[in-house]
């Protein structure tokens, strides 16, 4: 795990019924013994029997409805479509891809060349067949990624997950012989962090035994492990604190600029970073919430809070650059590559040999810039790219190759709600680009339209949202409408193209709404930070404001309005339907957080206290208690019928959240549906068959509730 991308990978209720225009001011929460704690026993026999019973009842009802079978078939057709654009990772001369379809449910790890990839039907070479491996070893393996040793990329550390969990087994693999290395590096199941130091040495963070993990369940200790020696003899090189989220290591092997960074993630957003210099670890003097990276002799620094240097103040969300050697020797000569505005934020950036490519969000639409590096100077040029949808940009440069023909090449992707994905091969020399892959339309968008609207939240903040209209829909209040949101951890909701939504929702007459609420990253770090901890309620106020505007604009009515969200988004819809049950007639609550009194004690929950707060502290529990869905559920309130979905193998957000909430609501005589996939991890499914089934259950439920 690279700590500089960890926050992005991690990886989507008040108290009484309230009127549409007034909210209670104080919580009415009394702490009582939790009667459903037994449902937190993930593999407990009693808990699993309860799960199976609920699964049978929910599936019996939903699979019997006329919508289920055709929707599932359509979902499978989309998920297994042959014209999907294979997502590839460059490793030397090869492009690697994991491919899943009806014949390869777990997937083929395969590769091809760029010359082949340019063809409509590339010739792929299978490197590892996950289905065959799972069958041979009698294991339910799910692909978990690979870390390969450059520049040959022959030896890779393959991560394999049982059932899709975050915890993975790590095994060394030879991509030439296509076999696991006999007596090679192997780690047992854990949430491990590994990186190559050289052919015979790894840096390893894993479960070394008692005291080696943080309270969040991630590595607390990094060790250096030599080939041929027992893991128990690995040498400790770095340690964090048990209260940290995790520790990690990042090795940069760029010739002439070799660097190793060790990181303590003290919470989800703050880190202490150390640069290895000889046998010493030297603290990197940067703001704890800034993200550093290196481009040979240049330090790049992405800010989350403003930084004052001498007489200059750089706002939060800026991307700065400095001469790395001079900075490490104490010079603080920083200059901006990107400065945010009220509507523009930096979504991501990547580096070619001589350029930094910026992916910018401008009112939630993608734009690109490139900055050319000459000496310590950068010059800017706008890139003419498709607009106004979602862009993706990824460099192909491999700094470990002496001569890299792709040093200035990059992938460019584009999509929007009504435009299928396209993949281009682009270069920094000009805006000419080669269209390599594009998807066929997965649904008929004739007569459809997508628009961006704004509404005013409770405190006066303008909140944008997208509306995707099916053919022939009018603002007459009769449209089945699905409102989707997330609103946390600085994760943005940009336009996407979905054949599943197209076939299961749009073609049947459904309206889709995507809310860009506070807590997300659509307008940079400040947009996120304005809805953290004591201000988390603002996310829910924004979501409620969008729902109210949909009704006021006669796009829909409460009878036809449903909401959906997963993970933090599951908390969002849980908090929203308990606060404003009058607004909705359907709630799809996926892999959710719901018991905010105990979330920090369950699995990775402790890692999110920087987002939500610590419920063990009275002052912080005081504001968490006002929205925690589980604590604010009432027997004498009429709620919309809820569908909870989760996974037994989700070892990130504990399935106990959904289990306990459903059980509590049932005990209070509320009508709920519940489905828990026995495998699937935080994504809720391990293969396309499971994904299609879960999605068909969800859309069937939505039509049952909203088309009445």
């Amino acid at each position: 795990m690279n700590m500089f991308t960890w926050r992005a990978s991690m990886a989507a209720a008040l108290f009484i019924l309230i009127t549409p225009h007034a909210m209670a001011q104080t919580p009415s929460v009394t702490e009582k013994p939790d009667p459903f704690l037994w449902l937190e026993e993930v593999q407990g026999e009693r808990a699993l029997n309860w799960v199976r019973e609920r699964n049978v009842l929910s599936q019996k009802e939903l699979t019997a409805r006329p919508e289920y079978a055709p929707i599932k078939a359509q979902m499978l057709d989309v998920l297994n479509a042959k014209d999907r654009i294979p997502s590839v990772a460059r490793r030397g001369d090869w492009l690697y891809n994991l491919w899943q379809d009806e014949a390869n449910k777990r997937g083929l790890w395969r590769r091809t060349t760029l010359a082949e990839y340019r063809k409509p039907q590339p010739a792929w070479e299978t490197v590892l067949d996950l289905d065959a491996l799972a069958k041979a070893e009698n294991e339910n393996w799910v692909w978990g990624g690979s870390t390969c040793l450059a520049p040959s990329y022959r030896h890779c550390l393959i991560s394999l997950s049982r059932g899709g969990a975050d915890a993975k087994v790590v095994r060394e693999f030879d991509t030439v012989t296509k076999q696991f290395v006999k007596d090679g590096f192997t780690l047992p199941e854990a949430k491990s962090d590994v990186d190559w130091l050289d052919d015979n040495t790894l840096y390893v963070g894993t479960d070394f035994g008692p005291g080696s993990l943080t309270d969040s369940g991630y590595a607390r200790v990094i060790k250096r492990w030599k080939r041929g020696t027992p893991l128990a003899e690995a040498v400790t090189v770095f340690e964090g604190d048990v209260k940290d989220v995790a520790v990690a290591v990042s090795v940069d092997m760029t010739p002439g600029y070799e660097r190793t960074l060790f990181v303590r993630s003290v919470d989800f957003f703050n880190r202490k970073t150390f640069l290895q210099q000889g046998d010493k670890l030297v603290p990197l003097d940067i703001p704890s919430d800034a993200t550093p990276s290196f481009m040979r002799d240049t330090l790049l620094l992405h800010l989350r809070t403003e930084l004052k240097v001498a007489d200059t103040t750089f706002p939060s969300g800026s991307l700065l650059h400095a001469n790395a050697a001079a900075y490490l020797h104490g010079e603080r000569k920083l200059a901006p590559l990107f400065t945010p505005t009220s509507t523009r934020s930096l979504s991501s950036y990547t580096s070619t040999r001589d350029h930094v490519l910026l992916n910018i969000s401008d009112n939630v639409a993608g734009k690109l810039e490139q900055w050319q590096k000459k000496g310590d100077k950068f010059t800017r040029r706008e890139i003419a790219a498709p607009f106004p949808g979602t862009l993706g940009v990824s460099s192909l440069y491999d700094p470990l190759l002496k001569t890299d023909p792709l040093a200035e090449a990059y992938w460019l992707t584009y999509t929007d709600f009504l435009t299928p994905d396209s993949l281009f091969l682009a270069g920094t020399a000009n805006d000419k680009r080669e269209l390599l892959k594009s998807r066929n339309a997965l649904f008929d968008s004739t007569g459809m339209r997508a628009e961006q609207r704004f509404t005013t939240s409770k405190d006066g903040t303008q909140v944008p949202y997208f509306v995707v209209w099916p053919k022939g829909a009018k603002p007459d209040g009769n449209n089945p409408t699905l409102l989707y949101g997330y609103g946390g951890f600085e994760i943005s909701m940009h336009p996407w193209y979905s054949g599943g939504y197209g076939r299961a929702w749009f073609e049947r007459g459904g309206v889709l709404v995507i809310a860009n609420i506070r807590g997300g990253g659509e307008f940079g770090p400040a947009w996120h930070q304005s809805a953290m901890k004591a201000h988390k309620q603002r996310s829910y106020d924004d979501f409620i404001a969008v729902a109210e505007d949909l009704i006021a604009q006669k796009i829909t009515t409460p009878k036809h309005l449903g909401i959906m969200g997963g993970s933090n988004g599951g908390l969002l819809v849980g908090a929203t339907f308990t606060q404003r049950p009058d607004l909705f007639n359907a709630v799809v609550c996926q892999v959710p957080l719901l018991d905010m009194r105990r979330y920090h004690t369950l699995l990775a929950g402790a890692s999110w206290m920087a987002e939500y707060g610590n419920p063990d502290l009275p002052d912080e529990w005081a504001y968490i208690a006002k929205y925690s869905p589980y604590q604010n559920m009432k027997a004498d309130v009429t709620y919309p019928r809820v569908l909870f979905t989760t996974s037994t193998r989700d070892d990130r957000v504990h399935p106990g959240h959904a289990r306990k909430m459903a059980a509590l609501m049932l005990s209070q005589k509320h009508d709920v549906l519940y489905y828990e996939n026995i495998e699937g991890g935080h994504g809720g499914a391990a293969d396309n068959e499971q994904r299609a089934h879960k999605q068909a259950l969800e859309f069937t439920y939505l039509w049952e509730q909203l088309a009445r």
Side-chain angles (χ1 to χ4, degrees):
M1 178 174 56
N2 185 327
M3 214 48 205
F4 307 124
T5 59
W6 177 83
R7 179 165 57 89
S9 71
M10 289 290 302
L14 218 52
F15 37 93
I16 56 173
L17 177 62
I18 45 183
T19 66
H21 304 294
M23 296 182 65
Q25 299 302 309
T26 57
S28 177
V29 175
T30 301
E31 290 202 46
K32 300 176 181 179
D34 186 344
F36 301 110
L37 272 178
W38 55 275
L39 285 168
E40 293 182 3
E41 298 176 24
V42 177
Q43 298 290 346
E45 182 178 356
R46 183 185 178 194
L48 286 178
N49 285 339
W50 180 91
V51 166
R52 294 185 184 103
E53 179 183 348
R54 300 314 310 174
N55 281 355
V56 167
L57 293 172
S58 297
Q59 291 179 105
K60 181 179 179 180
E61 174 184 332
L62 294 174
T63 59
R65 288 190 59 84
E67 299 93 347
Y68 172 80
I71 288 178
K72 182 182 178 183
Q74 289 175 323
M75 290 295 183
L76 264 178
D77 187 54
V78 168
L79 291 167
N80 291 328
K82 302 302 182 186
D83 74 328
R84 282 174 291 148
I85 299 175
S87 176
V88 293
R90 184 194 180 197
R91 298 208 169 101
D93 294 332
W94 294 103
L95 303 177
Y96 281 80
N97 162 258
L98 182 76
W99 183 262
Q100 293 177 310
D101 58 25
E102 66 277 9
N104 305 282
K105 292 188 176 183
R106 299 302 180 186
L108 296 175
W109 192 42
R110 59 185 191 170
R111 63 190 178 193
T112 192
T113 63
L114 178 57
E116 278 293 323
Y117 192 66
R118 280 186 157 107
K119 299 177 181 178
Q121 300 296 330
W124 292 92
E125 176 187 351
T126 298
V127 181
L128 179 62
D129 184 329
L130 269 291
D131 294 271
L133 178 69
K135 182 178 180 181
E137 299 184 347
N138 194 29
E139 288 276 10
N140 183 20
W141 291 132
V142 174
W143 180 254
S146 64
T147 301
C148 300
L149 179 62
S152 69
Y153 301 100
R154 175 172 180 169
H155 289 272
C156 298
L157 301 171
I158 302 293
S159 294
L160 299 169
S161 163
R162 291 184 173 96
D166 282 357
K168 299 173 179 67
V169 171
V170 178
R171 295 159 66 179
E172 186 179 2
F173 188 84
D174 187 325
T175 61
V176 174
T177 65
K178 301 179 185 176
Q179 299 289 328
F180 288 101
V181 177
K182 185 179 180 180
D183 299 325
F185 290 114
T186 302
L187 291 174
E189 185 176 59
K191 295 181 180 180
S192 299
D193 173 29
V194 295
D195 206 349
W196 293 93
L197 180 58
D198 56 43
D199 291 21
N200 296 304
T201 314
L202 299 182
Y203 283 125
V204 178
T206 192
D207 185 351
F208 294 107
S212 65
L213 300 179
T214 67
D215 287 345
S216 299
Y218 297 102
R220 188 191 67 80
V221 178
I222 300 289
K223 296 190 178 187
R224 186 171 59 247
W225 185 20
K226 290 288 187 181
R227 184 182 297 281
T229 64
L231 180 62
E233 294 181 6
V235 178
T236 298
V237 294
F238 187 71
E239 294 188 62
D241 187 83
V242 69
K243 296 298 183 183
D244 292 346
V245 173
V247 296
V249 60
S250 177
V251 180
D252 183 352
M253 299 181 180
T254 302
Y257 301 97
E258 295 85 355
R259 298 182 181 94
T260 299
L261 294 177
F262 291 90
V263 176
R264 284 182 54 203
S265 181
V266 296
D267 64 30
F268 202 87
F269 306 107
N270 291 274
R271 308 168 189 82
K272 293 183 178 179
T273 305
F274 302 84
L275 177 65
Q276 188 173 40
Q277 293 186 334
D279 294 331
K280 296 182 179 180
L281 292 178
V282 179
L284 192 58
D285 182 23
I286 59 174
S288 64
D289 61 354
T291 302
S293 63
F294 289 91
M295 180 185 180
R296 298 193 303 280
D297 60 348
T298 299
L299 170 67
L300 297 171
L301 201 60
H302 190 199
L303 303 180
R304 294 194 72 253
T305 52
E306 71 175 23
L307 175 65
K308 187 173 183 179
V309 180
D311 296 329
T312 303
T313 299
F314 301 102
S316 67
S318 298
L319 179 65
L320 311 179
H321 71 92
N323 180 278
Y327 190 94
L328 294 173
H329 283 90
E331 183 180 277
R332 293 297 177 263
K333 186 178 180 182
L334 292 156
L337 289 183
F338 176 80
T339 302
T341 69
S342 60
T343 62
R344 287 165 59 92
S345 63
L346 183 61
S347 292
S348 63
Y349 68 92
T350 188
S351 300
T352 65
R353 183 187 58 209
D354 298 321
H355 292 79
V356 179
L357 306 172
L358 308 184
N359 188 358
I360 296 166
S361 177
D362 190 346
N363 264 327
V364 205
K367 292 184 176 180
L368 295 183
E369 293 179 358
Q370 69 179 41
W371 288 78
Q372 184 176 15
K373 183 179 185 301
K374 291 184 177 180
D376 284 342
K377 302 292 184 181
F378 283 87
T379 55
R380 173 184 173 274
R381 182 177 76 83
E382 290 188 13
I383 299 173
F387 187 81
T390 300
L391 297 169
V393 59
S394 178
S395 173
L396 287 168
Y397 174 48
D398 187 338
L400 272 67
L401 300 180
K402 290 183 178 180
T403 303
D404 184 5
L406 299 176
E408 290 299 319
Y410 61 93
W411 300 127
L412 175 64
T413 60
Y414 177 81
T415 192
D416 59 44
F417 290 116
L418 303 179
T419 304
D421 306 61
S422 297
L423 172 67
F424 301 87
L425 179 61
T428 58
N430 51 54
D431 290 338
K432 294 180 181 179
R433 56 185 70 100
E434 177 185 357
L435 177 61
L436 291 184
K437 308 286 178 186
S438 61
R439 298 207 66 179
N440 295 323
L442 294 169
F443 58 90
D444 184 2
S445 62
T446 304
M448 292 185 61
R449 69 187 191 279
E451 62 177 346
Q452 186 181 48
R453 296 189 176 204
F454 289 80
T455 191
T456 304
S457 192
K458 182 181 179 181
D459 63 0
T461 300
Q462 289 293 292
V463 178
Y465 64 92
F466 293 102
V467 182
V468 187
W469 296 85
K471 181 180 179 179
K474 299 177 181 178
D476 57 10
N478 294 320
N479 299 298
T481 301
L482 178 60
L483 170 59
Y484 187 91
Y486 187 80
F489 297 94
E490 206 176 324
I491 295 174
S492 302
M493 293 285 102
H494 290 107
W496 73 80
Y497 183 87
S498 171
Y501 278 88
R503 296 183 182 185
W505 195 244
F506 301 146
E507 288 186 346
R508 286 175 164 79
V511 172
L512 176 65
V513 179
I514 306 298
N516 300 119
I517 60 178
R518 281 174 288 181
E522 287 85 350
F523 298 106
W527 190 248
H528 166 236
Q529 292 160 9
S530 66
M532 291 172 58
K533 300 185 81 170
H535 304 297
K536 195 65 186 172
Q537 179 61 38
R538 291 172 178 168
S539 294
Y540 315 138
D541 290 342
D542 291 358
F543 204 58
I544 289 168
V546 173
E548 291 178 328
D549 201 49
L550 296 175
I551 295 165
Q553 300 300 320
K554 296 185 177 180
I555 293 174
T556 192
T557 58
K559 177 181 177 181
H560 299 298
L561 179 57
I563 52 177
M564 177 187 285
S567 192
N568 176 78
L571 172 60
L572 167 70
V573 299
T576 304
F577 91 77
T578 52
Q579 292 183 30
R580 293 297 305 273
D582 58 300
L583 289 177
F584 314 109
N585 200 34
V587 180
V588 180
C589 190
Q590 305 161 314
V591 291
L593 288 87
L594 294 168
D595 180 357
M596 299 305 289
R597 186 67 186 88
R598 285 180 50 75
Y599 84 92
H600 62 313
T601 69
L602 301 173
L603 299 175
S607 65
W608 308 319
M609 287 194 287
E611 178 81 10
Y612 303 120
N614 183 351
D616 289 340
L617 301 178
D619 289 348
E620 299 191 5
W621 172 238
Y623 60 74
I624 299 171
K626 294 181 180 181
Y627 68 76
S628 180
Y630 189 61
Q631 278 70 32
N632 287 288
M633 182 56 53
K634 302 296 181 183
D636 58 352
V637 173
T638 300
Y639 298 105
R641 192 186 199 198
V642 182
L643 170 61
F644 295 100
T645 66
T646 189
S647 166
T648 310
R649 291 294 294 169
D650 187 349
D651 55 354
R652 191 179 313 170
V653 176
H654 198 291
H657 285 279
R659 291 176 179 181
K660 295 198 303 179
M661 187 73 165
L664 175 61
M665 293 185 72
L666 288 167
S667 73
Q668 295 176 346
K669 309 303 180 184
H670 300 300
D671 187 12
V672 303
L673 291 169
Y674 183 90
Y675 174 69
E676 179 175 321
N677 190 18
I678 302 302
E679 57 186 21
H682 193 51
D687 58 42
N688 288 346
E689 179 75 26
Q690 294 178 15
R691 292 183 188 99
H693 175 61
K694 183 181 80 75
Q695 291 168 7
L697 293 177
E698 291 170 344
F699 280 109
T700 298
Y701 156 80
L702 287 169
W703 284 116
E704 180 182 30
Q705 292 297 117
L706 303 182
R708 296 174 177 177

